[in-house]
Amino acid sequence: MTSFSGAVAAARAALAGAVASPRRAGELAGAIRELESLARYVHSVQAELIQEAEQHQIARSAGARNTGVWLQDVLKADPGQARGRVQVATSTAVPVARKALADGAISVEHAQVIASCVDKLPDAAETSRVEAVLVEQARTCRPRDLRQLAEGINAAHDRSLAVRDEQAQHESRELHYVTSGDGMVVIKARLDKETGQKFLAAIRPLSKPLPSHDGTPDPRTPAQRHADGLATLVDLALGSENMPRVGGQRVQVQVTVGYDDLVRSLDPHAEGVAPGSFADGTPITADAVRRMACDAGILPVVLGGDGVALDYGREERTAPPQLRAALFRRDGICAFPGCEHPPGTSQAHHIVEWFHGGETTLSNMVMLCAFHHRVVHNDRWTITVDEGRTAFTPPHRVDPHREPRPGSTSRPGTHRQLIRELVPTPRTTAPREPAA
């Protein structure tokens, strides 16, 4: 009888020889598929051995609580992965799935989903039909997609089970946050599917890729885009009238900064500019304070040289509703050249700094999305408004010639203008000569 170790060694040697042989690029896809089929067959053989280990109670003799725990140690596998393999090996209700796994038609992850679904069915008479449907679907979809189908089948067959599962998700919800030593906030969360879907629906349009100022692809990583999306989501929440009030006032983030430092920060080459600080003492640069103070939700406390508050941030710095409406009509969601940002995320930016005497007027304000608001402040773009049209002049490092670029305008407004231009002017009819 051929030992397993001998068979595995022979298979390894054969594969090593195949890998060492030269191959054409066109053969790679087929070779990868063949290896995956072989790996799935190996998993089906492994399932038979796990079933034998369960029958012989190998786990108990090894001092483990059950076969799943024993398998975690044997394979150094995660608990969920080990439990899934045991379920595939020991379930008697999935013979079709086991055969499809041995044939290489489905993966062990597919088989785990099918076994889990079938084992939860309240009516054993339905198992064969459900298994056949799931195996057929597994041949053409990913395990994640199959899992969604399986959950729907289980919910349809046992409503109370589905309700209990959702309630269990809700009970296990959690969100933790901590401020690290450098002031960054670290967030970890587990959300039930209902809250999770709401979060995804909100953050996806806010974190989609945005073109760079020169038309190149978004330089941010997906993780950075998601963080920026969350930042925009927080801005929207702080600006909402539905936010709970504290002491009769809207929720505000308070920042304290010295007036001299605030003015000196306008010079990009100035040194020795002391930072401001949040209410909890976390420092923040004066440059960031100026950017944050452009819109609502931030209450700047400006200090004189003696440390006495000079200004507590007049509400007039924030564009009132009628002015924001006019800005939207002129600039759209974001006036930065080439920006295509989703609705509802704009920030009203003062062209001449509000702290530097700039007025909250249509001619001194421009709508920017959070991403380009940061770009304008950090890279120091120059913005002008001439006869209702915005222009953005890049810094020298972006464009040595500093050629002004026309800002984006409201697409609905542009369309209305084009329509007006295309409407024929009324024709005047020449008066008829009186009949002779």
Side-chain angles (χ1 to χ4, degrees):
M1 179 183 295
T2 303
S3 67
F4 266 94
S5 58
V8 170
R12 284 179 178 274
L15 286 175
V19 170
S21 301
R23 68 190 62 81
R24 294 188 296 273
E27 298 173 332
L28 290 175
I32 292 171
R33 282 195 295 266
E34 289 294 331
L35 281 176
E36 177 64 19
S37 178
L38 177 61
R40 293 175 178 184
Y41 172 71
V42 170
H43 276 132
S44 73
V45 175
Q46 185 188 65
E48 294 183 18
L49 300 184
I50 294 173
Q51 185 179 31
E52 288 185 32
E54 173 80 4
Q55 292 170 348
H56 291 295
Q57 298 184 343
I58 298 296
R60 180 174 297 181
S61 63
R65 188 167 61 251
N66 53 51
T67 303
V69 174
W70 172 75
L71 202 60
Q72 290 178 46
D73 182 58
V74 171
L75 300 180
K76 300 300 182 286
D78 290 332
Q81 184 184 44
R83 286 194 300 269
R85 296 201 186 184
V86 171
Q87 189 171 29
V88 171
T90 58
S91 177
T92 59
V94 289
V96 178
R98 288 277 295 273
K99 171 113 177 17
L101 177 61
D103 292 341
I106 67 173
S107 69
V108 67
E109 290 82 9
H110 288 115
Q112 290 171 8
V113 172
I114 296 170
S116 178
C117 177
V118 170
D119 288 345
K120 291 179 181 178
L121 293 175
D123 187 357
E126 292 291 321
T127 58
S128 297
R129 188 163 67 96
V130 169
E131 183 197 16
V133 170
L134 289 175
V135 169
E136 187 62 31
Q137 292 299 313
R139 296 173 184 274
T140 58
C141 74
R142 299 170 300 175
R144 174 192 174 98
D145 301 322
L146 188 70
R147 187 174 295 108
Q148 292 177 343
L149 173 60
E151 288 181 1
I153 291 174
N154 284 135
H157 281 78
D158 192 343
R159 179 183 175 188
S160 61
L161 175 64
V163 171
R164 289 197 301 272
D165 285 346
E166 290 179 350
Q167 184 61 31
Q169 278 198 0
H170 182 69
E171 293 297 330
S172 65
R173 71 197 185 281
E174 57 183 345
L175 187 148
H176 307 277
Y177 58 89
V178 62
T179 303
S180 60
D182 59 0
M184 294 193 75
V185 177
V186 181
I187 302 172
K188 178 182 178 181
R190 275 172 50 86
L191 307 176
D192 59 82
K193 62 177 69 174
E194 179 181 344
T195 306
Q197 288 297 319
K198 291 178 181 178
F199 173 76
L200 294 176
I203 201 169
R204 277 172 176 162
L206 303 180
S207 56
K208 71 174 188 177
L210 294 173
S212 184
H213 51 74
D214 57 359
T216 57
D218 195 327
R220 300 173 296 168
T221 66
Q224 289 172 333
R225 289 192 286 103
H226 296 156
D228 290 346
L230 179 60
T232 304
L233 196 59
V234 171
D235 287 342
L236 289 171
L238 288 176
S240 171
E241 293 295 335
N242 295 323
M243 279 289 289
R245 293 181 177 265
V246 179
Q249 295 182 337
R250 289 176 58 182
V251 175
Q252 293 173 326
V253 179
Q254 188 178 95
V255 184
T256 302
V257 66
Y259 177 76
D260 290 340
D261 295 306
L262 199 62
V263 173
R264 291 181 64 216
S265 70
L266 294 171
D267 179 2
H269 304 295
E271 297 293 342
V273 179
S277 65
F278 290 105
D280 65 355
T282 301
I284 182 75
T285 64
D287 304 77
V289 172
R290 290 189 291 105
R291 173 178 51 78
M292 293 167 64
C294 280
D295 214 343
I298 306 296
L299 181 65
V301 180
V302 183
L303 303 178
D306 55 2
V308 177
L310 297 177
D311 196 352
Y312 284 92
R314 301 182 307 278
E315 287 297 327
E316 286 77 6
R317 82 185 189 281
T318 302
Q322 63 272 23
L323 178 54
R324 290 183 70 90
L327 288 167
F328 273 124
R329 284 196 298 271
R330 187 192 70 192
D331 302 332
I333 302 304
C334 179
F336 196 90
C339 180
E340 299 243 354
H341 209 267
T345 59
S346 291
Q347 299 174 358
H349 167 72
H350 286 78
I351 297 172
V352 177
E353 301 278 355
W354 185 79
F355 287 119
H356 212 54
E359 298 181 347
T360 304
T361 60
L362 185 63
S363 61
N364 189 49
M365 301 194 78
V366 63
M367 296 305 288
L368 296 172
C369 68
F371 175 74
H372 285 122
H373 196 181
R374 185 178 293 272
V375 168
V376 165
H377 274 277
N378 291 352
D379 294 345
R380 299 183 181 276
W381 286 64
T382 301
I383 306 174
T384 57
V385 179
D386 184 23
E387 296 184 353
R389 296 183 180 275
T390 57
F392 290 70
T393 302
H396 186 269
R397 68 172 188 82
V398 175
D399 179 6
H401 302 291
R402 302 203 67 202
E403 290 288 336
R405 306 177 184 183
S408 300
T409 57
S410 168
R411 184 170 290 125
T414 302
H415 287 181
R416 285 194 297 270
Q417 180 63 33
L418 288 173
I419 291 171
R420 282 196 294 269
E421 292 175 0
L422 293 173
V423 172
T425 56
R427 291 179 296 179
T428 56
T429 302
R432 292 185 178 182
E433 294 292 333

